[in-house]
Amino acid sequence: MRHLFGLCIVIFLGIIMFCESAKSNVEINEPVMAYKMGVHSAVTPVPVADEWWKSRHQKIVEQTGKRAVDLIFVGDSITQCWEEVGKEVWQKYYVKRNSLNLGFSGDRTQHVLWRLEHGEISNISPKLAVVLIGTNNSNKNDYTPKQISDGIVAICKKLREDLLGTKILLISILPRGEKPSLQREKNIEASRLASVIADNKWIYYLDCGENFWLVMV
């Protein structure tokens, strides 16, 4: 199942990465810049106190600039697990693409923002950044769909500003749970709100949604 999902993603990546673009300064009229963002904790960078988290972050920072990086994956445990249960897929499709895994289990948007601001994308110039984040912000009643969307967009904005030659593939939050729920609906709405920043030039949006279940069966 993970193999098929990985194959679907890599085909999409190949299409985007094939169409390379020169570096471009961020234009104020780009959708990601025009997006109206609120002020709240989902967009306020903050680290996680756990030692494993600090150690993983430091190791990644130490890697940047020491090898070629053409593709980065930004996210939470779903992304980090490509190193574990998805290792076979990662080795087959992504190692040869000079990929860097920036997934941290349990991360919310604010944690990703902190990592990006503290060295994880310094000294690299990837062709593409894949962003899949937000599901942990949807736990309980901590955030509204708009606030989750704000956090997702803040990450894409940071990537766009700091990595001027990098395209971004924003993936919708994957379905939560085996059955429809309020949390799943919250994630669907958050993804929909964030999708408006896609301009199909620098930022692309891939809505897995129902297609995710078609791949997983």
Side-chain angles (χ1 to χ4, degrees):
M1 293 185 294
R2 186 174 292 271
H3 178 86
L4 289 174
F5 182 62
L7 179 58
C8 291
I9 295 298
V10 80
I11 291 172
F12 198 89
L13 298 184
I15 295 172
I16 297 176
M17 293 179 72
F18 181 77
C19 302
E20 294 188 41
S21 298
K23 290 185 178 181
S24 171
N25 291 328
V26 180
E27 300 293 337
I28 194 169
N29 61 346
E30 288 184 32
V32 71
M33 302 303 293
Y35 179 95
K36 301 299 182 182
M37 195 176 303
V39 179
H40 46 80
S41 59
V43 297
T44 304
V46 62
V48 173
D50 296 343
E51 289 303 319
W52 75 264
W53 193 95
K54 295 177 182 178
S55 176
R56 180 173 173 81
H57 167 69
Q58 187 58 39
K59 288 179 180 178
I60 289 175
V61 171
E62 291 172 357
Q63 287 184 50
T64 59
K66 293 184 178 180
R67 67 177 180 88
V69 175
D70 293 325
L71 174 61
I72 61 174
F73 286 80
V74 181
D76 47 40
S77 62
I78 299 171
T79 300
Q80 184 176 353
C81 278
W82 288 114
E83 299 175 350
E84 301 161 7
V85 295
K87 187 174 182 179
E88 181 181 349
V89 175
W90 182 268
Q91 290 292 327
K92 183 173 182 178
Y93 295 115
Y94 300 121
V95 170
K96 62 185 177 183
R97 288 178 168 81
N98 297 322
S99 302
L100 178 63
N101 190 319
L102 301 183
F104 282 57
S105 180
D107 263 15
R108 294 184 171 192
T109 54
Q110 55 265 44
H111 306 134
V112 174
L113 284 168
W114 189 93
R115 294 194 281 111
L116 297 182
E117 290 190 357
H118 289 80
E120 290 193 6
I121 56 174
S122 299
N123 304 312
I124 60 174
S125 300
K127 297 177 182 177
L128 181 68
V130 180
V131 178
L132 174 55
I133 192 67
T135 192
N136 293 317
N137 291 79
S138 72
N139 294 336
K140 300 180 180 179
N141 296 315
D142 294 349
Y143 297 97
T144 66
K146 176 59 167 61
Q147 290 172 329
I148 298 171
S149 172
D150 288 353
I152 295 170
V153 174
I155 290 168
C156 292
K157 182 179 179 182
K158 176 66 175 175
L159 292 169
R160 181 73 185 99
E161 290 174 334
D162 287 17
L163 303 174
L164 295 178
T166 301
K167 294 184 179 182
I168 299 168
L169 172 59
L170 173 60
I171 299 178
S172 64
I173 301 173
L174 301 183
R176 287 287 294 267
E178 296 181 2
K179 299 178 181 179
S181 64
L182 291 177
Q183 184 177 25
R184 188 185 292 185
E185 291 302 316
K186 182 192 294 186
N187 286 336
I188 290 173
E189 178 63 8
S191 295
R192 184 191 69 79
L193 292 171
S195 70
V196 300
I197 66 172
D199 57 11
N200 293 326
K201 179 181 179 182
W202 290 104
I203 301 178
Y204 297 78
Y205 177 70
L206 177 60
D207 185 358
C208 290
E210 294 301 322
N211 292 325
F212 178 78
W213 295 116
L214 293 176
V215 172
M216 297 301 284
V217 295

